[in-house]
Amino acid sequence: MSYLNDSRSESDLTRPGEQWFFYWKTSAALWESRILEFAQSEIIFIPIYWGFHAENATTWDFGDLLAERDLVRLSKLLTQHGRKFSWILPLTPAPFFPNGGVPISSARTLSISPEGSHVVALDQESKLNKMYSYFEPKVFSSFVQFLNSLGQFLTAHHIKAPCWGLKFYYRHENDRCSYLYDRSLAFEQGFSRYLKSNFPQGVELGSAAEEEKFKSNFLSEVQDLFRTAAESSLGSFWSGVQEVLVLGGSPKETLERGLTEGKTQFHYFQDLFDVYIKSQWLSSSLLTPLEKNQLLPKFLTEHFGNAEIEERYHYQINSGDLNQDMRPYSLIDIVTDENCQHFQTNGLLPFLNQHYRWLYHMHPSLNFTTEWIEGHQHQVKFFHGSSMDRTRFGQMLKLFMMGQQIVLDKTGLHPDLEKRLQIFYLENNLKIQSVNFLTSITLCTLGEGRFFAFEGKRLDDHGERAKFWENLFVYLNLTQPEVVADNDVFSLWRIRATSASDLNYIDVRRVNVYNPTSYKKRVLIHTKKHFAFMKMIDPQRAEARTTSQGVEIELLPFGKIALDFGHYEEA
Amino acid sequence: MSLSLIYHFQSSQNQDGDFKPSRYKVVYFFSEQGFLEDSFMREMSKTIPDADHFGLTFLSLDDLKGFALRVAQELNSPEVRLISVQDYNIGLDGARDLASLKNVFSQFGDLVMNENNSRKKGFFGKLFT
């Protein structure tokens, strides 16, 4: 059942979103009826509330003592009704569990956020969940005991469902922060032990920044401990790790959501689009029914719905070729580390946010599979020298040789890789063209592939750098309708192959436009050459009319509309 | 419209001869309508000498209170409550839900009255004391 036809009552707390099922939120006698409310085709994801299964400090119950812990009963119900399902195991505190999921016997020290406050989140019932520190030694030993019991339990009962480890994050200063982050006494004591163990001769922490770096390494190692413990205990059930941003789950948002105005749809849309372009995943499980209204559920269904879920969790891999199903569309892939500051200072991101809003994706790693490469054949790939290692460097050159368009900012490129680049040019007999426009640029081609390299450092905070990017993008000649709208109107593009009933188009592109404000908005879509308006889909509080330049849309407050355009080549 | 300000006391630091005095940092500053814009707070902080306008830190609690009062005057708010993050955490310890979370902002911290606002009673205000 999609949110568009969502008839669940406000009290249905068991289905908080993204096809999750909160089994502990209702009597076991009601599980069957709740499960049947999911569409047959939807995979059901079951977060394991590990603290709930703790009968005491050393005993774990999976249904012998309390029916609501009976995971055998649950899995049998799912199987009986032909439902695919997957377990979700939190590898960090999880804000939708009381105590973050930690059993009462291990819940000793509350976590401290970067701002110094406790880490708390309001759940969908407006109850306050407080995160307990995972750096308390008892938590890890308790977690390992639970994992051993869980692994044995799943094996003994032949419950053949995959288990995904999930790391949860919250929004923090235009970035994200792990729920594992902590600066409580438990953390400081653990950090002290870590230093003594790793640096028996002692270590001098010269500055606050250096100390933070050591603390960050310590946090990563602890995160890895939880992951490897899970992987080891769950063996063949283990499917891997996903990272999830929890909407509305930061300490600041907890306060904001408690205010009279609450967190606005507009601010949630800002978060959603940030998650989208950063290729991240999300959970809306904390949001109350009142918050999850208007455009939010529609957007979630359209862009984080069943198809996206199946691809994220590897149930379905999109082949390189387009088919009749709409899939996300972008023009640009930016391969960067978590800190995308480089592309901010060289001006690429400001330029894209002005001219190609939400038409790009950021990737912390390169998904170098056949399906991904073929599916992203036409996207221009941007790389940065400072986040380049030998593997990524080799993959970048391979993409170029496969006929893709590559743009490399050489700032920070290791001298060895610079040498390898020169050798690559020579070995492949590539003719290099050099241009000087605000900085030095080189270009070479190989078949359909084009490789641009430039010294981005000279663009850093340069007043005229926008011209550099304008000229580069003119040269790249990207074919796409232009959306002209206020900054508080959101739009995403999707693409599909043509069908027999379509005219002789190359492909069909759909733009979904959303107005999450309480003001009327006007949007212009300039089709330019190569695009013909086909139809509008599901206008809600919106109207569209064709003009000589394309299409003009009028969106009422909280209105949305989708428009299809056929892409053609001029003779 | 009442205002609430949560602050964090940062102790002094002395590393490699670089001394940073202790400061009071604004963590959250909000009204029922929402959080205050950073640009607005930075502008208001310029009225306080030696304030770090970018980081929104102040050398003393009195300076912080002065800043909070300036904001209250600008927004015509009758009062502003200042809560240390330690007190806020104590309040959170005892809170269980949204209602008890809201109570934290009436039970903890120091209330700073905007005398200017209370003086501007208007015609009816002068009748009802």
Side-chain angles (χ1 to χ4, degrees), chain A residues 279-308:
Chain A
S279 309
Q280 293 170 353
W281 197 244
L282 58 80
S283 165
S284 60
S285 57
L286 292 181
L287 302 189
T288 64
L290 257 173
E291 288 176 307
K292 210 185 273 189
N293 65 2
Q294 306 277 12
L295 291 179
L296 256 182
K298 297 179 182 99
F299 178 85
L300 288 170
T301 305
E302 286 165 2
H303 302 285
F304 289 91
N306 190 45
E308 283 72 30

Side-chain angles (χ1 to χ4, degrees), chain A residues 31-42:
Chain A
W31 281 349
E32 188 171 14
S33 59
R34 290 284 183 267
I35 285 165
L36 290 174
E37 286 172 358
F38 286 95
Q40 182 74 36
S41 59
E42 287 179 346

Side-chain angles (χ1 to χ4, degrees), chain A residues 54-97:
Chain A
E55 179 59 22
N56 55 47
T58 53
T59 309
W60 303 94
D61 176 42
F62 295 102
D64 290 338
L65 299 170
L66 187 66
E68 282 65 39
R69 295 171 177 160
D70 193 346
L71 298 186
V72 173
R73 177 179 178 171
L74 179 59
S75 59
K76 276 184 178 166
L77 278 172
L78 289 158
T79 310
Q80 173 192 331
H81 290 289
R83 305 304 173 96
K84 281 195 225 166
F85 68 98
S86 194
W87 306 109
I88 282 177
L89 180 74
L91 298 177
T92 66
F96 44 84
F97 291 143

Side-chain angles (χ1 to χ4, degrees), chain A residues 153-276:
Chain A
F153 169 78
L154 293 177
T155 304
H157 292 279
H158 309 289
I159 301 176
K160 293 191 177 88
C163 184
W164 286 90
L166 259 58
K167 296 190 221 173
F168 294 102
Y169 296 81
Y170 57 85
R171 289 282 292 174
H172 181 254
E173 291 180 358
N174 294 327
D175 204 339
R176 62 180 192 176
C177 181
S178 170
Y179 278 98
L180 190 69
Y181 179 101
D182 180 26
R183 287 296 182 269
S184 67
L185 185 59
F187 172 86
E188 296 294 346
Q189 287 172 340
F191 180 57
S192 185
R193 289 192 296 271
Y194 164 80
L195 288 179
K196 282 184 187 147
S197 167
N198 286 277
F199 306 98
Q201 309 303 323
V203 61
E204 194 162 319
L205 301 175
S207 65
E210 210 176 323
E211 185 176 339
E212 265 312 307
K213 203 173 162 192
F214 276 98
K215 285 181 173 175
S216 180
N217 290 342
F218 172 51
L219 187 145
S220 292
E221 291 195 20
V222 168
Q223 178 69 89
D224 251 358
L225 273 176
F226 280 88
R227 179 189 59 77
T228 51
E231 208 171 324
S232 161
S233 295
L234 296 176
S236 59
F237 299 107
W238 187 250
S239 285
V241 177
Q242 296 281 353
E243 297 180 348
V244 174
L245 186 109
V246 183
L247 294 178
S250 71
K252 183 176 179 181
E253 286 169 298
T254 297
L255 283 170
E256 190 176 6
R257 292 169 65 206
L259 300 175
T260 306
E261 294 288 319
K263 180 158 176 166
T264 62
Q265 288 267 303
F266 168 68
H267 285 132
Y268 276 121
F269 262 74
Q270 283 184 314
D271 293 346
L272 286 169
F273 274 67
D274 196 59
V275 166
Y276 180 85

